[in-house]
Amino acid sequence: MNRRSFLAAAGVAAAASESKAATDNPVRSRPLRAGYWGSEYYDQQELDQVTEVVQSRSPFRWYGPKEPTKVATFERRFAERIGVKYALAVTSGTAALQCAVNGLAIGPGDEVILPAWTWHSCYAAIVLAGALPVFAEIDESFNIDPSDIEHRITPNTKAIMAVSLQGNPADLDKVIPIARKHNLKVIEDFAQSVGASYKGKPLGSHGDIGICSLQLNKTITAGEGGAVVSNDPELFERAARFHDVGMLRPIHIQAAGGKERLAPFVGTNFRMNEFSGGVLIAQLGKLDRIIGNVRANAARVYEGVRDLPGIRLRKLPDPSGELGTGVFIDFGTRERRDRFMAGMKAENVPAAPPGGSAILPVQPYIEKKVTVHPSWPTFTSERGKTIQYGAASCPRTLDILGRFAGVLMDPKFDKRDTDDIVAAIRKVYSRT
Ligand SMILES: *Cc1c(COP(=O)(O)O)cnc(C)c1O
């Protein structure tokens, strides 16, 4: 055993004995874990919706033996809830991102700025359109750092992806003016923050086009699903056509004011089915209850830890608009953060690093610019050939993600659960 692995092993042993000592009287006897919010609220309403679709024998959104209504109804109600004119339901958040990027007619030669910490699909949607992803650092909100955007803009930049991660709105009042100044579009990705708002307006209604996911891990869910939202009829039409092999169907012609603005073009099939639409109608009706419960739980935890000496919490550009998905603390160093997590685990109140996303520039397939075809247009341009991803391209993002840990919230936590979270944080924080 060399010196380095000996020290590493000794460190692990020390941490293990520390957590063993702490388990003598843990705050909880069994681990407390947040679950999957939307599906925790599944009940007779979702069953009735699915049953209606089965009985109608009309699972396809455009036609069938009976007139299908589920997906169209979900779209209308979702647009209303988000406060936009148009909503398009699709098969996933990833599909929604592709609709948004294609809706903006972004393609080869174009560049899109996105945060270094977000989900794979943001990068994929840009590359699959043939455009070039340009990463910006995140800040202590875990979202794109508005001060790291402007110097990355080139004459080829077409859009900025403002992603609101883990329930926390991106600082849109800083991002949108930068976009306007340089004549760029804003794609709002609120996949992890459905129901959250920024300065009184729901996420998804701030940018030029917004997307969300309705997959199991998100606020409300049909297992898979996504939506595109916009106030711009032309963006909506291009997104809708892209999602349905270039066609615009009567429901969407009607939604877009009774006329077609564009000619057909090559598209794909991201159409949502009626089962998903029905489940999402039921889930949407529960959205405000779900997020109200999460927010109330997070508020109790914030209140319970705010006075801890020297505590630094995750940056919230609009505390009243965030969902409270997790209460995250900045420990300043990775070592101290990891000690905190080991201590919390021993208390059976596990804490986690920021989650639900990936540090994209360090993914090997991204660092090596791997695509299905060697002459993919993204990386054949001069800038595409020279741009460097990898850890050296996002040092601040890596540093921030290494310093934070938090406890994830659940809408079904009760007062006892949140009391235990506060008790565990207070106990472990004081000796971290
Ligand atoms: C989940 C997610 C997506 C993709 O959604 P899917 O429904 O999983 O395809 C896109 N962006 C972000 C930020 C996400 O968290």
Side-chain angles (χ1 to χ4, degrees):
M1 193 184 265
N2 64 26
R3 187 180 141 79
R4 214 157 135 203
S5 55
F6 171 77
L7 287 176
V12 167
S17 75
E18 195 176 310
S19 47
K20 189 157 183 299
T23 49
D24 290 346
N25 188 15
V27 168
R28 285 179 82 92
S29 53
R30 279 160 200 275
L32 176 69
R33 273 185 213 292
Y36 304 102
W37 303 354
S39 63
E40 286 174 2
Y41 285 74
Y42 278 5
D43 60 16
Q44 195 60 41
Q45 292 181 22
E46 282 81 0
L47 275 173
D48 288 346
Q49 289 286 343
V50 171
T51 302
E52 280 172 34
V53 176
V54 171
Q55 287 173 343
S56 75
R57 300 181 189 278
S58 298
F60 180 56
R61 74 163 297 180
W62 297 132
Y63 48 78
K66 292 243 171 67
E67 195 194 332
T69 59
K70 303 297 188 195
V71 178
T73 302
F74 171 70
E75 285 176 341
R76 270 199 317 278
R77 292 188 190 168
F78 195 68
E80 214 169 283
R81 174 61 179 77
I82 301 300
V84 292
K85 289 194 188 131
Y86 316 110
L88 173 72
V90 294
T91 46
S92 71
T94 305
L97 274 163
Q98 287 188 254
C99 289
V101 169
N102 286 280
L104 289 166
I106 287 169
D110 297 336
E111 297 173 16
V112 179
I113 296 173
L114 76 166
W117 165 248
T118 182
W119 190 237
H120 296 261
S121 321
C122 297
Y123 173 87
I126 301 165
V127 173
L128 291 175
L132 181 71
V134 175
F135 291 108
E137 300 268 23
I138 61 164
D139 64 19
E140 282 79 0
S141 68
F142 310 164
N143 295 325
I144 198 165
D145 178 353
S147 70
D148 195 52
I149 293 174
E150 209 156 10
H151 68 107
R152 300 181 188 275
I153 296 172
T154 75
N156 295 325
T157 308
K158 288 285 149 60
I160 302 170
M161 271 188 193
V163 191
S164 293
L165 292 173
Q166 286 195 293
N168 191 24
D171 206 347
L172 296 161
D173 273 0
K174 297 206 177 105
V175 175
I176 292 175
I178 296 168
R180 295 292 168 256
K181 182 174 156 200
H182 296 273
N183 202 19
L184 310 177
K185 299 294 185 188
V186 173
I187 302 170
E188 242 193 278
D189 176 344
F190 61 112
Q192 298 181 13
S193 305
V194 174
S197 62
Y198 178 78
K199 312 228 166 139
K201 271 177 66 188
L203 291 183
S205 67
H206 296 259
D208 296 283
I209 194 161
I211 74 93
C212 73
S213 168
L214 304 159
Q215 181 264 348
L216 177 66
N217 294 85
K218 317 301 166 106
T219 317
I220 54 171
T221 188
E224 295 275 14
V228 183
V229 293
S230 185
N231 282 312
D232 183 320
E234 191 177 314
L235 294 186
F236 171 73
E237 179 171 339
R238 202 176 289 104
R241 285 185 184 277
F242 184 76
H243 114 290
D244 193 11
V245 293
M247 292 198 263
L248 194 69
R249 309 280 183 154
I251 284 175
H252 287 148
I253 296 175
Q254 212 182 351
K259 64 171 184 192
E260 296 176 73
R261 291 168 175 80
L262 305 168
F265 56 85
V266 63
T268 182
N269 170 12
F270 290 148
R271 294 182 304 251
M272 182 179 279
N273 69 69
E274 288 285 286
F275 292 108
S276 299
V279 169
L280 290 167
I281 290 171
Q283 286 271 287
L284 186 58
K286 300 169 184 175
L287 173 62
D288 288 314
R289 183 148 56 97
I290 294 171
I291 66 175
N293 290 345
V294 178
R295 280 174 166 154
N297 289 338
R300 286 206 291 270
V301 176
Y302 280 128
E303 265 330 291
V305 303
R306 217 178 275 290
D307 66 320
L308 284 168
I311 194 160
R312 275 180 303 168
L313 295 164
R314 179 188 190 184
K315 188 168 151 188
L316 305 173
D318 178 4
S320 66
E322 77 134 351
L323 294 184
T325 302
V327 174
F328 286 95
I329 302 169
D330 183 355
F331 289 94
T333 65
R334 182 181 287 270
E335 293 68 32
R336 193 165 167 240
R337 189 276 305 266
D338 290 351
R339 273 204 305 278
F340 175 77
M341 289 200 302
M344 291 293 281
K345 187 163 178 237
E347 299 301 335
N348 280 323
V349 183
S357 293
I359 306 160
L360 294 179
V362 307
Q363 304 298 309
Y365 80 93
I366 294 179
E367 181 163 15
K368 297 190 188 114
K369 307 178 185 175
V370 182
T371 54
V372 289
H373 194 281
S375 51
W376 198 260
T378 296
F379 301 114
T380 52
S381 69
E382 228 19 72
R383 186 109 197 284
K385 280 187 214 146
T386 55
I387 195 167
Q388 300 239 339
Y389 301 136
S393 70
C394 59
R396 280 199 287 135
T397 297
L398 290 165
D399 173 53
I400 288 165
L401 296 172
R403 303 192 319 241
F404 274 87
V407 178
L408 297 179
M409 293 298 132
D410 188 278
K412 299 253 179 184
F413 281 170
D414 59 20
K415 172 104 177 23
R416 174 125 168 248
D417 296 327
T418 53
D419 284 349
D420 286 347
I421 294 169
V422 170
I425 295 174
R426 296 191 75 89
K427 183 173 168 187
V428 177
Y429 183 89
S430 67
R431 47 163 211 247
T432 309

